[in-house]
Amino acid sequence: MTDTARTPSEPGDHPRSDPSGAAADAEARDGTAEAPGGTAEAPDGTAEAPGGTAYAPGAGASPTGLGSRRRRLRWLRYAAVVTAVLVLAAGGLGWAAYTKLQGNITRDTGTAAELARYEKERPTPLVHDAQNILLIGSDSRSGPGNRKYGRDPGTQRSDTTILLHLAADRQSATAVSLPRDLMVDIPGCRRPDGSRTRAQFAQFNWAFEFGGTACTIRTVEKLTDIRVDHHMVVDFAGFKGMVDAVDGVQVCLKEPMEDAAAKIRLPAGPQTLDGEQALGYVRARKSLGDGSDTDRMDRQQEFLAALVNKVRSNDVLLNPAKLYPVLDAATSSLTTDPGLASLRGLYELVRGMRTIPTERVQFLTVPRRSYTYDANRDELVEPAADALFSRLRKDEPVEVARAAGAADREDAADDPYGDDSEDTYEEGESGAVDGEDGGGSGDSGEPGDSGDDTDEKPDDPTHVPSPAPTFRGNTADRSSCK
């Protein structure tokens, strides 16, 4: 019989197809087979048949499949090495990202030390697990990107201050804006140079200029009798960065907006604002509405509601490519107390808030009116303001309702209690939308009396909260475009 060889493209091109079994008997220890006539495998792994025709690589596999098994093992080893490299690379990138985000946060140990000096004068928390966080928007012109908003005089004031209350059951969040021009008692505070200011009655945002965050926290606690558990300070650049990181936030303008001081010019209608435009939008004061600070705070609250919705959307939270820039911008802009100055601390905070329904994320301004002795300043409206602070202190529900417009602020009865007295708030004031002073459930109706004389503990299961008063405000599910 003539021994013929097949070409590599023909089926059966393998020594095991030899019916005589000669190729199998001639298999070498290294798994190569010698062809009849002594033809050996070439150095590159190909077998050459008589006449010079080369077999494909691997033609010398044994009939038991040992060569094929070895190749599979080699590929498995290669795959394992590649996988290990990829895992280590991913882990390295993850650790690098974590380290960067962790390092972005500025830890405010100075405020913590200053507050510790006044621990005895600070309020005692009444409800376990409820948290009160003071959010401060600094108008400092120092730092990269901030100087174009004005001259840096070496001082700063709190452009926006919000007291955020998180209920103990994490089923509601209430953000209360404190007007920058509110007249309050500011305690004696330590200046950055070590000197101390005297206690004085002045506008609220001077506290931040006098003694920074510690002075602001002590002023808020003195005003509200609410213990501030944590604080966050954000500057202009940080605010812009967070808006840009979510690809802008949509607002709806009922009229065109042009404000040279805020460096913004926008047409009427729906607008998706980038960071620079958003900063101008929330800072503008005289170009929209009645030009009051109250109107600006309403606009800030609507914008924050839209920002909360954008961040909580699946498009951001479930997309690492979008979530990382948000985290990077947020952490880069934050100065916080040591308790929040870590990704773990911030994660615990966000995790507690993520289940709160948007209709229970509420924004309102503390009840206020023009100050008796200076129309350019504000003062609290009592007993409405005390009622609000009391409910937050006890972790009791607060309800908000959105006013239809400026006319409502002029004509509506604004106190939360609900009797028929004739007192109303002045034009442009922020307070409750239904009811008048006095006469509420569990309240004597006297100024300053908000029912705090009960002996029941707020977190006592037998304690039944009085019906929630309704304040004029907004919720995160109501955007300015609805």
Side-chain angles (χ1 to χ4, degrees):
M1 179 183 292
T2 303
D3 188 7
T4 61
R6 301 177 187 271
T7 63
S9 60
E10 291 181 280
D13 185 21
H14 198 285
R16 280 180 291 182
S17 63
D18 180 9
S20 67
D25 294 337
E27 182 179 6
R29 291 184 179 180
D30 60 357
T32 62
E34 186 175 38
T39 302
E41 185 179 37
D44 62 355
T46 62
E48 188 174 343
T53 302
Y55 287 103
S62 70
T64 59
L66 291 176
S68 177
R69 188 178 301 119
R70 289 190 182 96
R71 286 193 300 276
R72 285 199 301 271
L73 289 175
R74 281 199 301 271
W75 281 111
L76 286 175
R77 284 195 295 270
Y78 294 154
V81 170
V82 171
T83 301
V85 169
L86 291 176
V87 169
L88 289 174
L93 290 174
W95 178 252
Y98 177 89
T99 303
K100 183 180 186 301
L101 294 175
Q102 181 87 357
N104 285 345
I105 307 170
T106 300
R107 182 186 297 260
D108 190 359
T109 55
T111 293
E114 182 68 8
L115 291 176
R117 295 187 179 97
Y118 296 94
E119 181 60 38
K120 291 183 179 179
E121 74 176 28
R122 301 186 66 193
T124 301
L126 297 182
V127 180
H128 296 298
D129 296 327
Q131 283 195 326
N132 299 293
I133 304 167
L134 196 65
L135 311 176
I136 301 174
S138 168
D139 69 354
S140 172
R141 269 65 171 177
S142 64
N146 291 332
R147 294 181 181 177
K148 64 181 178 180
Y149 300 106
R151 184 178 60 87
D152 178 18
T155 61
Q156 58 182 351
R157 295 186 184 178
S158 51
D159 198 55
T160 300
T161 304
I162 295 175
L163 181 62
L164 175 63
H165 174 79
L166 302 180
D169 61 6
R170 296 301 189 268
Q171 291 303 301
S172 68
T174 303
V176 181
S177 294
L178 301 173
R180 55 181 291 171
D181 296 330
L182 186 67
M183 298 301 293
V184 297
D185 289 310
I186 301 177
C189 295
R190 182 178 181 273
R191 292 190 180 99
D193 64 4
S195 63
R196 292 195 171 269
T197 63
R198 61 178 177 84
Q200 57 192 289
F201 186 69
Q203 68 185 69
F204 173 67
N205 69 337
W206 284 16
F208 197 65
E209 180 180 3
F210 288 161
T213 304
C215 191
T216 301
I217 290 175
R218 291 177 60 211
T219 301
V220 170
E221 291 183 340
K222 185 176 181 66
L223 178 72
T224 65
D225 200 29
I226 295 173
R227 173 82 173 212
V228 174
D229 302 299
H230 300 289
H231 68 269
M232 298 182 182
V233 181
V234 184
D235 64 11
F236 291 157
F239 177 81
K240 291 189 303 180
M242 284 187 284
V243 174
D244 285 334
V246 296
D247 296 329
V249 174
Q250 187 183 65
V251 299
C252 287
L253 299 179
K254 296 180 180 179
E255 57 188 34
M257 178 179 184
E258 184 170 359
D259 193 307
K263 303 181 183 300
I264 188 170
R265 182 177 182 179
L266 296 169
Q271 307 291 331
T272 298
L273 307 183
D274 62 21
E276 189 72 36
Q277 293 170 322
L279 181 61
Y281 178 77
V282 299
R283 292 184 65 225
R285 180 168 181 172
K286 298 181 179 179
S287 57
L288 285 179
D290 58 12
S292 69
D293 198 43
T294 297
D295 193 75
R296 180 173 70 166
M297 286 185 291
D298 289 345
R299 193 163 61 253
Q300 290 173 347
Q301 292 166 7
E302 287 186 347
F303 185 86
L304 289 175
L307 179 59
V308 167
N309 273 329
K310 188 69 178 285
V311 171
R312 288 184 55 163
S313 69
N314 289 344
D315 191 38
V316 174
L317 294 181
L318 299 183
N319 187 337
K322 290 187 176 182
L323 181 58
Y324 180 82
V326 174
L327 293 175
D328 188 33
T331 53
S332 296
S333 67
L334 286 182
T335 298
T336 76
D337 61 280
L340 289 182
S342 67
L343 285 182
R344 181 178 180 84
L346 292 175
Y347 172 75
E348 292 297 330
L349 176 64
V350 173
R351 186 179 68 171
M353 296 181 63
R354 67 183 178 182
T355 58
I356 300 177
T358 52
E359 65 272 15
R360 298 302 301 163
V361 178
Q362 305 172 128
F363 299 88
L364 67 149
T365 301
V366 63
R368 41 72 61 199
R369 64 184 167 211
S370 295
Y371 180 46
T372 304
Y373 303 105
D374 185 348
N376 294 317
R377 300 290 179 263
D378 295 325
E379 65 183 3
L380 295 180
V381 172
E382 299 295 1
D386 193 57
L388 172 63
F389 299 148
S390 175
R391 298 191 76 85
L392 296 178
R393 192 162 51 244
K394 298 175 182 178
D395 197 33
E396 294 181 345
V398 173
E399 300 293 337
V400 300
R402 188 175 185 178
D408 294 333
R409 295 200 289 270
E410 295 181 37
D411 302 329
D414 289 327
D415 193 82
Y417 297 109
D419 71 357
D420 297 321
S421 70
E422 295 296 322
D423 295 337
T424 59
Y425 290 166
E426 296 177 19
E427 178 181 354
E429 292 166 15
S430 178
V433 293
D434 54 339
E436 299 291 335
D437 286 355
S441 174
D443 190 87
S444 66
E446 295 298 326
D449 183 359
S450 60
D452 288 344
D453 55 352
T454 177
D455 291 329
E456 294 176 315
K457 295 181 180 179
D459 50 358
D460 189 329
T462 63
H463 174 69
V464 180
S466 58
T470 301
F471 295 86
R472 188 175 67 82
N474 194 26
T475 55
D477 64 327
R478 303 176 193 158
S479 73
S480 61
C481 295
K482 292 183 179 179

